[in-house]
Amino acid sequence: MNKHTTELKLETITGGVHSSPRHDSARKHVSGTAVYIDDIAEPFGTLHAGLGLSSVAHGILKSVDLSAVRAAAGVVAVLTHADVPGVNDISPSYMNDDPVLASGKVEFYGQPIFCVIAETREQARRAARLAKIEYEELPAEIDIWDLDVSSHRQVVTPLTLERGDATTVLTGAPRRVTGRMRLGGQDHFYLEGQVSLAVPGEDDDVIVYCSTQGPSETQHMIAHALGVPSNAVTVEVRRMGGGFGGKETQANQCAAIAAIAAKKLKRAVKIRLDRDEDMVATGKRHDFAIDYDIGFDDEGRILAVDYTFALRAGFSADLSGPVGDRALFHCDNAYFLPHVRAKSAPLYTNTVSNTAFRGFGGPQGMVGAERVIDEIAFAVGKDPLEIRKLNFYDPMGAKGERNLTPYHQKVEDCIIQRIVAELEESADYAGRRQAIQEFNARSRLVKRGIALTPVKFGISFTKTESNQAGALVHVYTDGSVHMNHGGTEMGQGLHLKVAQVVAEEFQIDLDRVKITATTTAKVPNTSPTAASSGADLNGMAAQDAARQIKERLIAFAAETYKVSRDEVLFLPNRVRIGAEEIPFPVLVKKAYMARVQLSAAGFYKTPKINWDRSKGRGHAFYYYAYGASCSEVSVDTLTGEYIVERTDILHDTGRSLNPVIDIGQIEGGFIQGMGWLTTEELWWDGKGRLRTHAPSTYKIPLASDRPKVFNVELTDWSQAYEPTIHRSKAVGEPPLPLGLSVLHALSDAVASVADHRICPRLDAPATPERVLMAIERVKAGKKG
């Protein structure tokens, strides 16, 4: 033991919060040594599954002849709906509308009808093509654009948000504009596709290694399909090769099929979808048709808005209800709407059920909000940025009344004014706007555009019970720490951030904290890693567990060394007890010898939040994250092709747990949002066949598509308004809508061909073809 001296060492631990250690798996990622589900050593005798998919979009199954499939080389079994021992349904809301395997009818092209189990994956996939299926084809609804939202079937009850009297104010508004916008969907295009490995155990037990964002939901769905209690099913995932929402509910089908086959055949079974199968058979970001009716004054101040957000839900409910809800929650973006009515319409179609995708409807709502701003700006002849600033919510601390959302929650933490002002200056918006006007005046064929767009993103699950998390922390006698929590790692750095929180609590170096695979056997009843809440929830739960152990150590040290609890202080890798210091492992070993419990289960639930869907009211979000992006583009007016010349981003992550990780999330989120709004076009033909089902036809952004100049900064002055984990803010979803600045820069460039007299009404994705059509339309003096 060392005597304490008055000369304190100015030490800090390595890897604590607010520092930037690299991602815990970074080297493994780039060296190819990170273990994903498909890399796990297969148990002896592992079988492989291949799906038999529907070849029509809507029809009755008249006959399903699988004799040739069963006779094919290597085939061990063929599963149909009749082989599901429990309930043939994986609907996340238990609506019994989403079968594991189709029974009696099919409702979209590519719906799984049967599953082949064979000795090899190739044998299973080849055999699946030998089925002879007869259909009685039925009329199919593919697109939503021409559907009547008042009469067409909706997969769940829609939501209406209303505040004030939009109808009356619209009628009396000095100016009024109505319009409609088409907004495309987006494929998740995770690098690792859907994959599960099921290993049967004794009795009802089965372990499923699954690439899932929601281990507990996957566990429940497997148990539901097997007809066993949840305690018989263990789901484990160390990491995913990307998720983006596409493995929140969509992982359940493959996991259930693998588990059913494994239990039936008493052998391990793996299923891994091919990229084409994955894109055809799994859900995507919802595409929308957005109708708007805006009333405003001569200055451009919004008086009232009436929205209808129709979304292509697909054949089952999946998560379309809450996705539509969140679109409405964000139809204001950062703007105060004095009178507002907003309705969702989750429309049934004979396409794959759309699902969660980074932003969960929020970005689609913001697209509607920014279209409204553009319409007003063109109507009154002002720069759209001027209209944006005119309509912002009141800033934090203001005593005005412009702070109430369409769902009646007060915005108490608004900092968008400062973020936009700082970005406007650092990006030299005014100077570049003038330079672009001069460039366009002398450039006949290439036109430039610029836009600065804000983001206000609500953080919390609107499903209140999902706002909880658990964690398990063990301290071993050598002072090393084992950490487990309910969140899942999909490359976003969640495990690292939670480990930093634990290291900070114990004041030990990060390398003393072991990150372990997420498993339902350690932390039960977990929420999916979604809604940008992973670090908020699981960080707090892990902190709670660590503090329980820390409190026991403090009590033990105080009693053993006869000092007050206030005299026990955790310093970097050591503990000061009165006037003496001992290494952390020494204290831990002494505590163990005294039979002090060195393990704890932590728990956290988000306070303050509430939401009543039936009334359209509540404190739906714990806080908001803010950001802004300024983008400049060049457009070839002969072809519609374009280049993103420069993007500047200023984003609010509060007191960031890991600034480097957060900047990476912002960069990636922006690029993904830009891709959604520009090049990523999903296209179904008249028979409901997805034609953009591979990288050859579906265009995600390349490294060469990124802005030529790309500046990303974090606000260095903000912190969470509420007591979040170390006053940090969520960073998973909020950066994605920053890509709106590219869409509106393109719109600005298009508008320049007619001297900004006509709102281009540029729909998304703004592919070169769509940009070119908008240019020709504007030249002809038409809005679209």
Side-chain angles (χ1 to χ4, degrees):
M1 181 174 286
N2 300 321
K3 293 290 183 181
H4 168 62
T5 65
T6 56
E7 294 183 9
L8 296 177
K9 297 178 183 177
L10 297 178
E11 295 179 25
T12 59
I13 60 171
T14 59
V17 297
H18 312 313
S19 67
S20 294
R22 68 178 174 221
H23 193 290
D24 55 283
S25 297
R27 284 190 172 176
K28 298 185 183 77
H29 289 157
V30 297
S31 63
T33 57
V35 177
Y36 295 92
I37 302 300
D38 201 38
D39 300 314
I40 296 172
E42 296 173 2
F44 179 78
T46 295
L47 299 170
H48 298 265
L51 295 178
L53 306 178
S54 165
S55 59
V56 302
H58 192 200
I60 304 296
L61 291 171
K62 293 180 66 177
S63 69
V64 180
D65 182 356
L66 301 176
S67 56
V69 180
R70 292 190 170 93
V75 172
V76 176
V78 180
L79 306 181
T80 68
H81 67 91
D83 294 292
V84 178
V87 180
N88 185 29
D89 180 53
I90 47 168
S91 165
S93 50
Y94 297 95
M95 294 183 68
N96 203 36
D97 63 353
D98 201 347
V100 179
L101 294 169
S103 172
K105 65 177 179 178
V106 292
E107 295 184 82
F108 72 94
Y109 184 96
Q111 183 172 0
I113 299 172
F114 63 92
C115 181
V116 183
I117 310 299
E119 297 290 348
T120 70
R121 181 170 178 267
E122 183 178 357
Q123 288 173 334
R125 296 187 68 220
R126 286 185 180 277
R129 299 173 186 174
L130 302 177
K132 297 176 181 177
I133 302 176
E134 290 186 29
Y135 305 89
E136 179 188 329
E137 287 199 57
L138 302 173
E141 297 286 359
I142 307 301
D143 195 16
I144 63 171
W145 189 252
D146 295 322
L147 298 181
D148 183 350
V149 299
S150 65
S151 60
H152 189 75
R153 174 182 169 188
Q154 301 191 23
V155 296
V156 291
T157 303
L159 174 67
T160 297
L161 298 181
E162 194 160 7
R163 199 192 69 251
D165 186 353
T167 300
T168 300
V169 175
L170 283 168
T171 300
R175 293 183 179 232
R176 187 172 182 179
V177 172
T178 61
R180 197 173 200 218
M181 179 178 188
R182 182 187 284 270
L183 175 60
Q186 186 177 24
D187 190 83
H188 302 88
F189 218 91
Y190 24 61
L191 291 180
E192 175 203 36
Q194 300 289 349
V195 56
S196 288
L197 170 63
V199 181
E202 61 183 20
D203 301 324
D204 291 334
D205 294 355
V206 63
I207 298 175
V208 182
Y209 301 92
C210 178
S211 188
T212 175
Q213 292 176 238
S216 287
E217 181 178 310
T218 300
Q219 174 196 33
H220 299 327
M221 289 293 105
I222 294 169
H224 191 57
L226 286 175
V228 301
S230 292
N231 63 10
V233 180
T234 298
V235 173
E236 180 174 315
V237 54
R238 171 58 181 88
R239 60 174 63 82
M240 287 167 275
F244 310 118
K247 295 175 180 175
E248 185 172 341
T249 63
Q250 300 297 288
N252 299 337
Q253 187 167 38
C254 285
I257 288 171
I260 291 166
K263 292 304 290 181
K264 180 181 180 70
L265 301 173
K266 297 181 173 53
R267 291 170 67 178
V269 174
K270 181 193 283 188
I271 181 170
R272 174 171 61 85
L273 298 188
D274 177 82
R275 176 65 63 184
D276 297 79
E277 293 172 331
D278 197 304
M279 292 187 72
V280 167
T282 65
K284 311 171 192 325
R285 184 189 294 281
H286 293 73
D287 52 315
F288 276 65
I290 305 171
D291 290 275
Y292 51 89
D293 185 352
I294 327 155
F296 51 100
D297 64 20
D298 292 336
E299 294 299 310
R301 187 174 284 104
I302 297 171
L303 302 177
V305 181
D306 191 343
Y307 282 117
T308 298
F309 286 87
L311 55 154
R312 176 169 16 197
F315 82 101
S316 69
D318 196 80
L319 296 172
S320 293
V323 166
D325 292 1
R326 193 170 280 252
L328 301 194
F329 289 138
H330 290 82
C331 70
D332 56 343
N333 194 8
Y335 313 114
F336 175 65
L337 308 178
H339 299 268
V340 57
R341 179 171 57 242
K343 299 176 291 185
S344 69
L347 301 175
Y348 172 90
T349 56
N350 294 113
T351 53
V352 64
S353 262
N354 284 322
T355 191
F357 197 126
R358 194 176 191 175
F360 203 79
Q364 291 98 314
M366 293 179 186
V367 168
E370 296 305 326
R371 168 59 73 85
V372 162
I373 293 294
D374 254 20
E375 290 276 21
I376 296 171
F378 279 93
V380 300
K382 292 184 177 181
D383 184 334
L385 180 58
E386 190 177 340
I387 303 301
R388 290 185 171 99
K389 293 191 288 186
L390 182 66
N391 286 285
F392 281 153
Y393 279 103
D394 281 340
M396 182 169 62
K399 296 183 179 179
E401 298 180 354
R402 295 171 55 85
N403 63 359
L404 201 62
T405 67
Y407 43 96
H408 299 264
Q409 176 173 337
K410 283 188 176 181
V411 180
E412 301 173 294
D413 61 356
C414 186
I415 55 174
I416 196 62
Q417 291 87 351
R418 181 172 176 182
I419 288 175
V420 166
E422 290 188 6
L423 182 62
E424 190 177 358
E425 181 178 354
S426 65
D428 188 23
Y429 177 84
R432 289 164 62 200
R433 166 67 74 187
Q434 180 61 39
I436 286 169
Q437 289 176 351
E438 294 170 1
F439 174 89
N440 287 344
R442 64 177 184 270
S443 176
R444 188 169 66 91
L445 300 179
V446 175
K447 301 295 183 181
R448 290 196 169 185
I450 190 170
L452 193 159
T453 57
V455 166
K456 174 184 70 70
F457 199 94
I459 304 299
S460 289
F461 288 96
T462 49
K463 185 180 181 182
T464 304
E465 62 266 34
S466 293
N467 295 284
Q468 60 177 301
L472 184 64
V473 173
H474 304 316
V475 179
Y476 295 104
T477 57
D478 64 353
S480 64
V481 175
H482 173 111
M483 175 204 74
N484 195 270
H485 60 88
T488 56
E489 176 64 44
M490 60 198 91
Q492 83 279 38
L494 173 60
H495 284 346
L496 173 62
K497 285 185 174 182
V498 178
Q500 287 180 263
V501 169
V502 172
E504 186 75 24
E505 283 304 312
F506 289 125
Q507 281 295 291
I508 58 177
D509 291 339
L510 182 63
D511 63 9
R512 300 292 288 163
V513 181
K514 175 70 173 177
I515 293 170
T516 57
T518 306
T519 171
T520 57
K522 288 186 178 180
V523 178
N525 308 319
T526 61
S527 299
T529 303
S532 303
S533 62
D536 283 6
L537 294 174
N538 296 286
M540 290 293 260
Q543 183 184 63
D544 176 52
R547 285 182 173 178
Q548 292 177 48
I549 299 170
K550 189 175 176 181
E551 284 299 309
R552 295 173 199 149
L553 290 173
I554 290 171
F556 164 73
E559 181 181 358
T560 302
Y561 292 94
K562 310 302 182 189
V563 299
S564 69
R565 292 172 61 92
D566 292 341
E567 293 178 272
V568 181
L569 183 64
F570 282 69
L571 301 175
N573 297 302
R574 65 195 192 280
V575 182
R576 182 186 303 156
I577 307 171
E580 300 176 288
E581 292 181 4
I582 61 173
F584 178 75
V586 172
L587 176 61
V588 168
K589 186 62 177 289
K590 288 177 178 289
Y592 166 74
M593 298 296 288
R595 297 182 294 179
V596 174
Q597 185 183 6
L598 297 174
S599 176
F603 181 76
Y604 175 75
K605 61 179 181 179
T606 310
K608 291 190 176 182
I609 54 174
N610 60 82
W611 166 242
D612 187 334
R613 191 175 190 269
S614 64
K615 296 178 180 178
R617 290 171 175 255
H619 195 94
F621 302 113
Y622 191 34
Y623 64 88
Y624 298 94
Y626 298 87
S629 174
C630 179
S631 291
E632 180 179 342
V633 301
S634 295
V635 176
D636 184 334
T637 59
L638 293 181
T639 65
E641 293 178 293
Y642 47 82
I643 294 172
V644 182
E645 300 284 354
R646 173 176 168 181
T647 293
D648 297 80
I649 292 172
L650 182 61
H651 198 76
D652 158 41
T653 58
R655 296 196 63 214
S656 172
L657 292 174
N658 188 314
V660 166
I661 292 289
D662 284 354
I663 286 175
Q665 284 291 289
I666 294 164
E667 291 172 343
F670 168 83
I671 294 295
Q672 193 170 48
M674 180 185 78
W676 165 49
L677 295 169
T678 57
T679 63
E680 297 186 44
E681 184 173 31
L682 292 165
W683 192 81
W684 284 264
D685 67 16
K687 292 185 175 294
R689 296 174 294 191
L690 179 67
R691 291 304 200 179
T692 50
H693 55 77
S696 58
T697 51
Y698 184 78
K699 301 299 185 182
I700 65 171
L702 304 174
S704 57
D705 293 320
R706 78 192 193 287
K708 290 161 68 175
V709 177
F710 196 12
N711 302 314
V712 178
E713 298 289 341
L714 304 180
T715 55
D716 58 6
W717 43 264
S718 67
Q719 67 173 23
Y721 179 76
E722 298 290 353
T724 59
I725 186 70
H726 292 283
R727 294 284 179 171
S728 64
K729 285 190 177 185
V731 74
E733 294 170 310
L736 187 135
L738 295 169
L740 271 162
S741 63
V742 175
L743 177 66
H744 285 271
L746 289 170
S747 178
D748 184 57
V750 170
S752 71
V753 303
D755 297 324
H756 293 88
R757 294 189 305 271
I758 299 171
C759 181
R761 291 188 171 179
L762 182 61
D763 289 345
T767 60
E769 294 88 347
R770 191 163 272 147
V771 169
L772 182 60
M773 288 188 286
I775 289 170
E776 295 303 316
R777 193 173 61 242
V778 169
K779 282 181 179 178
K782 300 175 182 178
K783 279 188 176 182

